[in-house]
Amino acid sequence: MTESDLRSSHDRRSRHLAVATAIALAAVLAARMLGPTDLWHQTQPRTISYTVDMLVHGGSSWLLPVDFGGVPATKPPLVNWLATPFVAALGRASELGHKMPSVLALAAMAAILARIGARLGSGTGWLAALMCLSAYPFFKLGYLARPDMVLTAILLGAWWSATRLLLDDPPRRRTWQAVFWTCVVAVALDKGPVAVLPILYVPVVARLVCGRWSAALRIGPLWALPALAVIAGYYAALWRLDPQHVYEVLWKREVLGRVTGDSPEVRPMRIWKD
């Protein structure tokens, strides 16, 4: 087989896998949308109520929405911000509107995987995307009114941009730096303290893979200033609205509680293990 024939075979395989990935994505969404609703699973009603509160009351609800019982949110509002235009267009009772951020995040994750793997050739990226779409966790999270699928896609974007900067030192470095720090901010506004993970990833790879700490400078440390300003500004605004909620719930329960095992979500698991 000539080199031209081999290249043609690889291109054909990539096209076939790309089509298979598109079919898998459509099948996952169709199965979830046409199947029995799971709208009452995994505290989705609370997430939905936050979005509705933003649209109905506006004002401070865009920063600290409350559920139907008047209890303030325990997660940052990024997924609700992303859902509001779809809910406004499709109606507050639209399940698809509330779950659209997860749908788009699932598609974005597949696209990023395909793009990352394209450098390896032979449809590797499409195969990786197809494998993820075939896994139950993504089947479930891709059509859920929760922040988890959005978080997965953003963390993947942060990993991709950081890895490109650290290992490839690519052209358009500033664009990749902007992508990385935008992802860090987005993670903070989606799941709070989880934003530390892509930041910790940078020095670890710089030292263990690149062999020198100075490689970490490629992510553009100066970009950290506006990024941290946005995150700090959000939490400062929350503190002005309800300092007790920020301290007692967001900090003591949602952060420290998960570390010490005193969080309501962690405690039942600890009791079961004991």
Side-chain angles (χ1 to χ4, degrees):
M1 180 179 291
T2 66
E3 183 178 346
S4 177
D5 292 337
L6 186 60
R7 187 181 304 112
S8 177
S9 176
H10 288 172
D11 290 343
R12 186 165 55 252
R13 180 186 179 190
S14 294
R15 288 194 298 270
H16 290 168
L17 285 171
V19 171
T21 301
I23 293 173
L25 177 60
V28 165
L29 295 177
R32 295 286 279 118
M33 293 170 67
L34 299 177
T37 182
D38 61 353
L39 205 56
W40 298 100
H41 298 176
Q42 299 188 16
T43 68
Q44 289 182 96
R46 295 192 66 189
T47 305
I48 290 170
S49 65
Y50 300 148
T51 303
V52 172
D53 183 43
M54 290 178 178
L55 290 171
V56 172
H57 298 108
S60 62
S61 293
W62 287 94
L63 290 175
L64 186 60
V66 298
D67 64 17
F68 294 130
V71 179
T74 57
K75 298 287 189 297
L78 178 64
V79 70
N80 305 106
W81 293 343
L82 296 175
T84 51
F86 301 103
V87 175
L90 300 175
R92 288 179 297 193
S94 170
E95 184 172 348
L96 175 61
H98 288 284
K99 294 183 175 183
M100 201 64 190
S102 292
V103 172
L104 295 177
L106 180 66
M109 181 202 70
I112 293 173
L113 286 174
R115 183 66 185 87
I116 293 172
R119 302 178 62 187
L120 301 177
S122 300
T124 303
W126 292 113
L127 182 60
L130 183 59
M131 291 172 66
C132 281
L133 291 172
S134 302
Y136 178 76
F138 295 108
F139 174 84
K140 182 71 173 178
L141 294 178
Y143 195 66
L144 209 66
R146 293 287 297 151
D148 304 280
M149 191 67 244
V150 174
L151 175 67
T152 300
I154 298 170
L155 283 175
L156 180 60
W159 174 84
W160 181 31
S161 54
T163 302
R164 285 294 309 272
L165 286 164
L166 290 167
L167 302 186
D168 293 345
D169 197 15
R172 303 195 309 275
R173 181 191 296 187
R174 290 185 179 179
T175 300
W176 285 101
Q177 291 171 343
V179 170
F180 173 76
W181 287 106
T182 298
C183 288
V184 170
V185 172
V187 171
L189 296 178
D190 187 70
K191 274 286 185 120
V194 181
V196 74
L197 294 180
I199 296 176
L200 292 176
Y201 171 77
V202 171
V204 171
V205 173
R207 184 68 186 90
L208 297 182
V209 180
C210 300
R212 58 188 187 281
W213 295 107
S214 60
L217 299 177
R218 294 175 185 170
I219 65 165
L222 291 180
W223 285 89
L225 298 178
L228 294 177
V230 171
I231 298 170
Y234 164 71
Y235 282 101
L238 284 189
W239 183 266
R240 290 193 63 182
L241 287 174
D242 192 340
Q244 182 177 4
H245 179 72
V246 173
Y247 179 70
E248 294 292 338
V249 177
L250 300 186
W251 172 246
K252 287 184 65 176
R253 193 180 83 184
E254 293 296 316
V255 178
L256 288 182
R258 292 174 185 274
V259 175
T260 62
D262 290 330
S263 168
E265 294 185 22
V266 177
R267 195 180 302 118
M269 296 176 60
R270 187 178 64 183
I271 293 174
W272 180 80
K273 288 174 64 178
D274 293 343

